[in-house]
Coordinates of all heavy atoms in Angstrom, one line a residue:
A153 N 128.5 44.5 77.0 CA 127.8 43.2 77.3 C 128.6 42.0 77.2 O 128.1 40.8 77.4 CB 126.6 43.1 76.3
G154 N 129.9 42.1 77.0 CA 130.8 41.0 76.9 C 130.7 40.2 75.6 O 131.2 39.1 75.4
K155 N 130.0 40.8 74.6 CA 129.9 40.1 73.3 C 130.9 40.6 72.3 O 130.7 41.4 71.4 CB 128.5 40.4 72.7 CG 127.3 39.9 73.6 CD 126.0 40.2 73.0 CE 124.9 39.7 73.9 NZ 123.5 40.0 73.4
I156 N 132.2 40.1 72.5 CA 133.3 40.6 71.8 C 133.2 40.3 70.3 O 133.6 41.1 69.4 CB 134.6 40.0 72.3 CG1 134.7 40.4 73.8 CG2 135.8 40.5 71.6 CD1 134.7 41.9 74.1
E157 N 132.7 39.1 69.9 CA 132.6 38.8 68.5 C 131.6 39.7 67.8 O 131.8 40.1 66.7 CB 132.2 37.3 68.3 CG 133.3 36.3 68.7 CD 134.7 36.7 68.0 OE1 134.7 36.9 66.8 OE2 135.7 36.8 68.7
D158 N 130.5 40.0 68.5 CA 129.6 41.0 67.9 C 130.2 42.3 67.7 O 130.0 43.0 66.7 CB 128.3 41.1 68.8 CG 127.4 39.9 68.8 OD1 127.7 39.0 68.0 OD2 126.4 39.9 69.6
A159 N 131.0 42.7 68.7 CA 131.7 44.0 68.6 C 132.6 44.0 67.4 O 132.7 45.0 66.7 CB 132.6 44.2 69.9
R160 N 133.3 42.9 67.1 CA 134.2 42.8 65.9 C 133.4 42.9 64.6 O 133.9 43.6 63.7 CB 135.0 41.5 66.0 CG 136.0 41.4 67.1 CD 136.9 40.2 67.0 NE 137.6 40.0 68.3 CZ 138.6 40.6 68.7 NH1 139.1 41.6 67.9 NH2 139.2 40.4 69.9
V161 N 132.2 42.3 64.6 CA 131.4 42.4 63.4 C 131.0 43.9 63.1 O 131.1 44.4 62.0 CB 130.2 41.5 63.5 CG1 129.2 41.8 62.3 CG2 130.6 40.1 63.5
F162 N 130.5 44.5 64.2 CA 130.1 45.9 64.1 C 131.3 46.8 63.7 O 131.2 47.8 62.9 CB 129.5 46.4 65.4 CG 128.2 45.7 65.7 CD1 127.9 45.4 67.1 CD2 127.3 45.4 64.8 CE1 126.7 44.8 67.4 CE2 126.1 44.7 65.1 CZ 125.8 44.4 66.4
A163 N 132.5 46.5 64.3 CA 133.7 47.3 64.1 C 134.1 47.2 62.7 O 134.6 48.2 62.1 CB 134.8 46.9 65.1
A164 N 134.0 46.0 62.1 CA 134.4 45.9 60.6 C 133.6 46.7 59.7 O 134.1 47.3 58.8 CB 134.4 44.4 60.3
E165 N 132.3 46.7 60.0 CA 131.4 47.6 59.2 C 131.6 49.1 59.4 O 131.6 49.9 58.5 CB 129.9 47.2 59.5 CG 128.9 48.0 58.6 CD 129.0 47.7 57.1 OE1 129.7 46.8 56.8 OE2 128.3 48.4 56.4
H166 N 131.9 49.4 60.7 CA 132.3 50.8 61.0 C 133.5 51.2 60.2 O 133.5 52.3 59.6 CB 132.5 50.9 62.5 CG 133.0 52.2 63.0 ND1 134.4 52.6 63.0 CD2 132.4 53.3 63.5 CE1 134.5 53.8 63.5 NE2 133.3 54.2 63.8
E167 N 134.5 50.4 60.1 CA 135.7 50.7 59.3 C 135.3 50.9 57.9 O 135.8 51.8 57.2 CB 136.7 49.7 59.6 CG 138.0 50.0 58.8 CD 139.1 49.0 59.2 OE1 139.8 49.3 60.2 OE2 139.3 48.0 58.5
R168 N 134.5 50.0 57.3 CA 134.2 50.0 55.9 C 133.5 51.4 55.6 O 133.9 52.0 54.6 CB 133.3 48.9 55.5 CG 133.0 48.8 54.0 CD 131.9 47.8 53.7 NE 130.6 48.3 54.2 CZ 129.9 49.2 53.5 NH1 130.3 49.8 52.4 NH2 128.7 49.6 54.0
V169 N 132.5 51.8 56.4 CA 131.8 53.0 56.1 C 132.7 54.2 56.3 O 132.7 55.2 55.6 CB 130.6 53.1 57.1 CG1 129.9 54.5 56.9 CG2 129.6 52.0 56.8
L170 N 133.5 54.2 57.4 CA 134.5 55.3 57.7 C 135.5 55.5 56.5 O 135.7 56.6 56.1 CB 135.3 54.9 59.0 CG 136.2 56.0 59.5 CD1 135.4 57.2 60.0 CD2 137.0 55.5 60.7
H171 N 136.0 54.4 56.0 CA 137.0 54.5 54.9 C 136.3 55.0 53.6 O 137.0 55.6 52.7 CB 137.6 53.1 54.6 CG 138.7 52.9 55.6 ND1 139.8 52.1 55.3 CD2 138.9 53.3 56.9 CE1 140.6 52.0 56.3 NE2 140.1 52.8 57.3
S172 N 135.1 54.7 53.4 CA 134.4 55.1 52.1 C 133.7 56.4 52.2 O 133.0 56.7 51.2 CB 133.5 53.9 51.6 OG 132.5 53.7 52.6
R173 N 133.8 57.1 53.3 CA 132.9 58.2 53.4 C 133.2 59.4 52.4 O 132.3 60.2 52.2 CB 133.0 58.8 54.9 CG 134.3 59.4 55.2 CD 134.3 59.9 56.7 NE 135.5 60.6 57.0 CZ 135.9 60.9 58.2 NH1 135.1 60.6 59.2 NH2 137.0 61.5 58.4
N174 N 134.4 59.4 51.9 CA 134.7 60.4 50.9 C 134.9 59.8 49.5 O 135.5 60.4 48.6 CB 135.9 61.2 51.2 CG 137.2 60.5 51.1 OD1 137.2 59.2 51.3 ND2 138.3 61.1 50.9
G175 N 134.3 58.6 49.3 CA 134.4 57.9 48.0 C 135.7 57.1 47.8 O 136.0 56.7 46.7
A176 N 136.5 57.0 48.9 CA 137.8 56.2 48.7 C 137.5 54.8 48.3 O 136.6 54.1 48.9 CB 138.6 56.3 50.0
A177 N 138.3 54.3 47.4 CA 138.2 52.9 46.9 C 139.3 52.1 47.6 O 140.4 51.9 47.1 CB 138.4 52.9 45.4
L178 N 139.0 51.6 48.8 CA 139.9 50.9 49.6 C 139.3 49.6 50.1 O 138.6 49.5 51.1 CB 140.4 51.7 50.8 CG 141.7 51.3 51.4 CD1 142.9 51.3 50.4 CD2 142.1 52.1 52.6
P179 N 139.4 48.5 49.3 CA 138.7 47.3 49.6 C 139.2 46.6 50.9 O 140.3 46.9 51.3 CB 138.9 46.4 48.4 CG 140.2 46.9 47.7 CD 140.1 48.4 48.0
G180 N 138.5 45.6 51.4 CA 138.9 45.0 52.6 C 140.3 44.3 52.6 O 141.0 44.4 53.6
F181 N 140.6 43.8 51.4 CA 141.9 43.1 51.4 C 143.1 44.1 51.5 O 144.2 43.7 51.8 CB 142.1 42.2 50.2 CG 142.0 42.9 48.9 CD1 143.1 43.5 48.3 CD2 140.8 42.9 48.2 CE1 143.1 44.1 47.1 CE2 140.7 43.6 47.0 CZ 141.9 44.2 46.4
L182 N 142.9 45.3 51.2 CA 143.9 46.4 51.3 C 143.9 47.0 52.7 O 144.9 47.5 53.2 CB 143.8 47.5 50.3 CG 144.2 47.2 48.9 CD1 144.0 48.4 48.0 CD2 145.6 46.7 48.8
R183 N 142.7 46.9 53.4 CA 142.6 47.5 54.8 C 143.1 46.5 55.8 O 143.5 47.0 56.9 CB 141.2 47.8 55.1 CG 140.5 48.8 54.2 CD 139.2 49.4 54.9 NE 138.3 48.3 55.3 CZ 137.3 47.9 54.5 NH1 137.2 48.3 53.3 NH2 136.5 46.9 55.0

Side-chain angles (χ1 to χ4, degrees):
K155 299 179 179 180
I156 302 302
E157 290 309 311
D158 286 357
R160 295 187 192 280
V161 171
F162 297 142
E165 182 63 10
H166 176 273
E167 182 172 273
R168 187 193 68 78
V169 177
L170 187 65
H171 278 208
S172 62
R173 69 183 184 189
N174 70 333
L178 201 60
F181 63 83
L182 286 180
R183 296 197 309 268

